[in-house]
Structures are given as C-alpha cells and as structure tokens.
C-alpha cells in the first residue's frame, strides 16, 4: 500500500467532502518531500524529442508560451526570474514519479491522467487559469504561493497562446512548503507563483467533457459497427422535380440508420479502449531483451513481472483492456491478471502455477515492451 497522503483525513471523508467539491490544503502530506529532479535534470528532459515540455516566460501580466523539445541553448540564458519549465507525463520517464502514483490509488486508474512537474524561478508561473482536471499540487523543493478561487467567471483573455483568465481575484492564498499538497477540483481558478526557485508535482485526474465521450462513442461505432444491405429502389416513380430528394429515399435511409444501435456492452468496450489508449506521444520500443516463450516462462519462475509505466491495463468484469485493445482472457488467467492490473506487478510463479494461456499472453506483452522483468 502507498503512503497516506491525505494525512488525518480518511479516504472516505476526503471523497465525501472534498473530491470534486472543495479545495483542500494538506500540510505535510508527504513530510519533507523534495521531489526527484534537479533543475539540470528537468532541463535535460525538456530536450528529449518525445517529451512534452513547455516553457512559460512572464513579463508583468503577460505570459509567453514556447513548446519543446528545446535545444540546450534555448534553456541556457533565461535569467534568474519569472520563467517556468513544465514537463508532462514524468511518470513515463521517472520510476519515482510512477511510484508516487501508488499513493493515489484510492482513485480509480480510469480517472488518472499523469504526473506533471514544473520548475519555476522566483516570479515564475503559468498565470491565472482553470483546468478541466482534478489536481493534487504537491510541493517539492522551494516555496510556491497558490492563489485560488471558486468562481463562475471563467472568461478567457483573447488572443493569447495560453488560456488565461481575464479577471482573477483570489479567495484564498496558500504558501506551500516542501511536502505540502493542495487539492483543487475542476474549474477552480488558480494562480501559482514561485516565491523561491521551486518544483511542483501535479497529479492530474482527467474528467473528459460530455462532448469527448460522445465523440469517442461515435468513433467506436464507426470502427466497430458492421451492417449489411445495399440501397435499392425497384419501385422508383418518375418525379416532376428531378432535384427533389424523394421521400421514399429519406424513408429508406431513416430505416437504415436505425441500425446504429448500442447497449451497455458496447459502452463498456468503448470506455475501456478509450481510457487505455496510449496518448499520441507514447511509444513502446519492444522488449529490451527478446525472449523465447520457454525462456520467458523460466524467467518468471525467478523474477517479478512489472507493467511498463506507459501501459494502461484496466478491466470490467471479465473484459480486459490494454493500451487500446480489448479481450476476454481465459478464466485461468483472471486472478493473476487482476493482480497485475491493480498492483502493476506480479510475483514470480513456479511453472505449475503459470497458466498456459497467461504465459502466452504475457510473453506477447513482454515482446511488445508492455511488461518487463524486475
Ligand atoms: C504549475 O505547476 O506551475 C502549474 C500547475 C497548474 O496550475 O495546473
Ligand atoms: Co492548473
């Protein structure tokens, strides 16, 4: 089990009173947490081609946003004030950040987005804004001031590279020290300003809009729905207006489109695939050491098997979803697969306890780089 990041609050109390409802400050959520990156390391990450990085430079009320990947020289002469460098999905790059997520497993993985880290020099920040996310803002090294407000005035400044609030006045101000953590529900206005050189780790939980879900369902149906039949009109009659859409044509197509139907089963499938689909920036390089099926099975007798931090393994009843694919595993696989999905790790197993179907499945995932041995 992970650390209790909620301090004296029980998970039940937190979910009942704060989750999606109220902001909450957890003092010393992770006592003396300093984070796991130095300024030099975060700058190095920002130069990697498949890392999503942003640099935001503030001049008074104006913020200029630049997107990575950056060249080392871009990050060399930024001065000592008023800028911040942000890296998305550090849990895909740093085992410590992936480990940090373990402390938040009281929220379903289906809701998790990523861990973002920001490094800021004094006066640096991304400006007053809101997110469609639930976020835990965990303070690493240094001090940051968070001004927050629950407001319906969410008008955005026009013509800016960043979505900043036109008006913002703080209702609460919290100065966070290393290890403090602020929870914010979606749509809360917030403005974080570095008081000293500092790092903030944002553990974000996505809350897709209804439009996104509808689009995802339509995409799913377009890919999956197969119907038979061809348009036909053996009873065609001569029309006075050849440009007019015949009523019989409309009627027939109305009937055809009634074939677009779905039930819970399709919704479960769509949701599982959609939420386990890797982001477009995520790539798998295949197994570091390719193994034969036999060697794989032998290795599993001695070593733990871990889920790659980029792999999303989710399930609903007997249906499993991994990296955008859906399948129904053989029932012999279910206990260990469920363990792997929940804990992201499974213990070594003697050969007699390795279900054949599971060895084949895990071997395939191993070759794709979705799982690896400790
Ligand atoms: C930051 O770490 O500066 C930005 C986090 C946020 O406001 O969502
Ligand atoms: Co934010």
């Amino acid at each position: 089990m992970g650390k209790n990041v909620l301090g004296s609050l029980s998970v039940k109390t937190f979910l009942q009173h704060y989750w999606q409802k109220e902001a909450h400050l957890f003092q010393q959520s992770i006592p003396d947490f300093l984070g796991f990156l130095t300024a030099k390391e975060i700058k190095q990450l920002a130069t990697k081609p498949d890392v999503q990085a942003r640099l935001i430079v503030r001049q008074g009320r104006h913020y200029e946003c630049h997107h990575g990947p950056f060249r080392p020289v871009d990050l060399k002469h930024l001065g000592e004030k008023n800028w911040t460098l942000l890296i998305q999905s550090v849990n895909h790059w740093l085992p410590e950040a992936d480990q940090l997520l373990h402390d938040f497993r009281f929220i379903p993985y289906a809701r998790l987005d990523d861990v973002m880290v920001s490094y800021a020099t004094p006066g640096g920040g991304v400006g007053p804004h809101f997110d469609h996310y639930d976020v835990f803002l965990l303070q690493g090294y240094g001090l940051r001031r968070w001004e927050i407000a629950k407001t319906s005035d969410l008008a955005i400044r026009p013509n800016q590279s960043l979505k900043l609030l036109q008006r913002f006045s703080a209702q609460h101000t919290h100065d966070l020290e290393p290890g403090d953590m602020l929870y914010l529900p979606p749509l809360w206005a917030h403005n974080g300003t570095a008081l000293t050189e500092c790092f903030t780790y944002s553990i974000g939980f996505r809350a897709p809009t209804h439009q996104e879900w509808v689009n995802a369902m339509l995409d799913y149906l377009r890919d999956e729905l197969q119907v038979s039949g061809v348009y036909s009109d053996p009873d065609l009659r001569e029309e006075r207006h050849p440009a007019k859409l015949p009523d019989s044509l409309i009627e027939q197509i109305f009937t055809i489109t009634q074939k677009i139907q779905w039930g819970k089963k399709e919704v479960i499938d769509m949701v599982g695939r959609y939420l386990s689909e890797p982001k477009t920036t995520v790539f798998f390089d295949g197994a570091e050491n390719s193994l034969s099926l036999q060697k794989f099975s032998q290795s599993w007798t001695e070593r733990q098997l871990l889920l790659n931090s980029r792999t999303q393994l989710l399930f609903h009843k007997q249906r499993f979803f991994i990296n955008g694919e859906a399948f129904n595993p053989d029932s012999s696989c279910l206990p260990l697969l469920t363990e792997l999905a929940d804990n992201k790790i499974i213990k070594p197993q003697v050969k007699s306890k390795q279900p054949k179907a599971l060895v084949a499945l895990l071997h395939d995932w191993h070759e794709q780089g979705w799982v690896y041995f400790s």
Side-chain angles (χ1 to χ4, degrees):
M1 209 46 205
K3 283 185 243 22
N4 177 15
V5 288
L6 303 181
S8 58
L9 280 190
S10 68
V11 169
K12 191 169 169 220
T13 309
F14 170 72
L15 294 178
Q16 247 175 23
H17 296 286
Y18 299 101
W19 178 251
Q20 296 245 301
K21 301 164 199 83
E22 286 297 323
H24 190 71
L25 174 66
F26 297 91
Q27 264 158 350
Q28 291 303 287
S29 162
I30 302 183
D32 304 320
F33 174 81
L34 289 172
F36 20 72
L37 277 170
T38 62
K40 194 172 162 200
E41 286 163 345
I42 200 172
K43 282 183 179 176
Q44 269 166 359
L45 264 179
T47 61
K48 279 182 177 265
D50 36 5
V51 163
Q52 276 180 285
R54 281 174 299 157
L55 169 69
I56 295 166
V57 184
R58 180 175 74 85
Q59 271 185 320
R61 271 187 88 243
H62 292 277
Y63 295 79
E64 214 179 84
C65 179
H66 307 266
H67 291 273
F70 297 100
R71 298 169 304 172
V73 62
D74 298 328
L75 306 172
K76 213 164 183 179
H77 308 291
L78 292 168
E80 288 175 5
K81 277 174 138 179
N82 301 336
W83 60 270
T84 179
L85 183 61
L86 304 104
I87 310 272
Q88 220 64 53
S89 302
V90 271
N91 48 309
H92 292 172
W93 300 99
L94 302 173
E96 300 92 328
D98 190 39
Q99 196 56 39
L100 180 64
L101 288 174
H102 210 70
D103 302 336
F104 295 86
R105 48 179 280 161
F106 53 88
I107 297 161
Y109 296 158
R111 290 283 269 108
L112 177 70
D113 190 55
D114 71 348
V115 182
M116 179 182 81
V117 61
S118 67
Y119 166 74
T121 50
V126 308
H129 69 283
F130 67 89
D131 300 306
H132 286 283
Y133 278 43
D134 295 270
V135 68
F136 292 91
L137 299 156
L138 173 63
Q139 187 58 27
Y141 175 86
L143 307 175
R144 183 187 283 270
R145 170 162 299 166
W146 284 104
E147 298 172 291
I148 64 172
K150 186 182 196 172
T151 169
S152 51
D153 181 8
L154 297 174
I156 298 293
R157 293 186 206 171
N159 311 323
Q160 298 260 326
S161 54
L162 279 169
K163 281 190 174 164
L164 295 180
L165 289 167
Q166 215 154 20
R167 293 165 292 274
F168 173 72
S169 68
Q171 291 164 346
H172 307 277
T173 300
H174 302 289
D175 290 347
L176 268 64
E177 296 179 5
D180 290 343
M181 183 172 80
L182 179 64
Y183 164 72
L184 289 180
L187 306 184
W188 275 55
H190 55 287
N191 185 27
T193 312
L195 298 178
T196 66
E197 190 184 29
C198 79
F199 291 83
T200 301
Y201 293 81
S202 305
I203 300 99
F205 293 86
R206 56 177 164 183
T209 58
H210 290 191
Q211 188 63 54
E212 271 177 82
W213 282 122
V214 167
N215 292 350
M217 191 67 209
L218 291 173
D219 285 345
Y220 173 85
L221 291 172
R222 187 175 31 240
D223 292 345
E224 299 297 317
L225 208 65
Q226 301 283 339
V227 296
S228 55
V230 183
Y231 179 81
S232 65
D233 49 5
D235 307 328
L236 191 65
R237 302 240 164 88
E238 190 183 5
E239 280 275 359
R240 206 152 50 89
H241 298 288
K244 182 180 166 245
L245 291 170
D247 289 335
S248 59
L249 180 145
I250 301 291
E251 266 320 302
Q252 192 178 149
I253 293 168
F254 180 69
T255 309
I256 293 168
T257 52
Q258 302 297 303
K259 293 185 182 178
I260 310 174
Q261 286 185 358
W262 64 92
K264 264 288 181 48
K265 182 172 159 282
E266 285 74 21
V267 170
I268 292 166
D269 231 38
M270 177 278 286
V271 172
R273 287 174 202 236
Y274 185 71
L275 292 179
S276 67
E277 181 72 37
K279 290 188 189 176
T280 50
T281 48
V282 168
F283 298 99
F284 293 93
D285 297 328
E288 222 167 87
N289 298 309
S290 178
L291 295 173
S292 67
L293 190 67
Q294 264 166 0
K295 286 228 171 85
F296 174 86
S297 166
Q298 181 56 36
S299 297
W300 194 18
T301 63
E302 295 150 13
R303 293 153 72 189
Q304 297 173 312
L305 200 60
L306 288 94
L307 218 53
N308 181 322
S309 59
R310 291 159 202 209
T311 292
Q312 280 279 23
L313 178 60
L314 304 168
F315 65 88
H316 184 270
K317 300 204 173 120
Q318 257 90 295
R319 193 108 171 116
F320 277 70
F321 306 92
I322 185 163
N323 296 336
E325 295 176 12
F327 63 103
N328 276 61
D330 186 83
S331 59
S332 63
C333 304
L334 290 177
L336 284 171
L337 259 192
T338 307
E339 192 179 321
L340 181 63
D342 280 339
N343 302 336
K344 309 196 175 221
I345 187 166
I346 36 179
K347 293 189 201 76
Q349 305 288 324
V350 292
K351 287 221 172 150
S352 60
K353 294 256 173 77
Q354 295 183 358
K356 249 195 167 133
L358 187 59
V359 176
L361 194 64
L362 294 175
H363 174 250
D364 181 38
W365 293 356
H366 178 266
E367 294 307 292
Q368 300 203 55
W370 293 356
V371 296
Y372 63 98
F373 284 113
S374 54

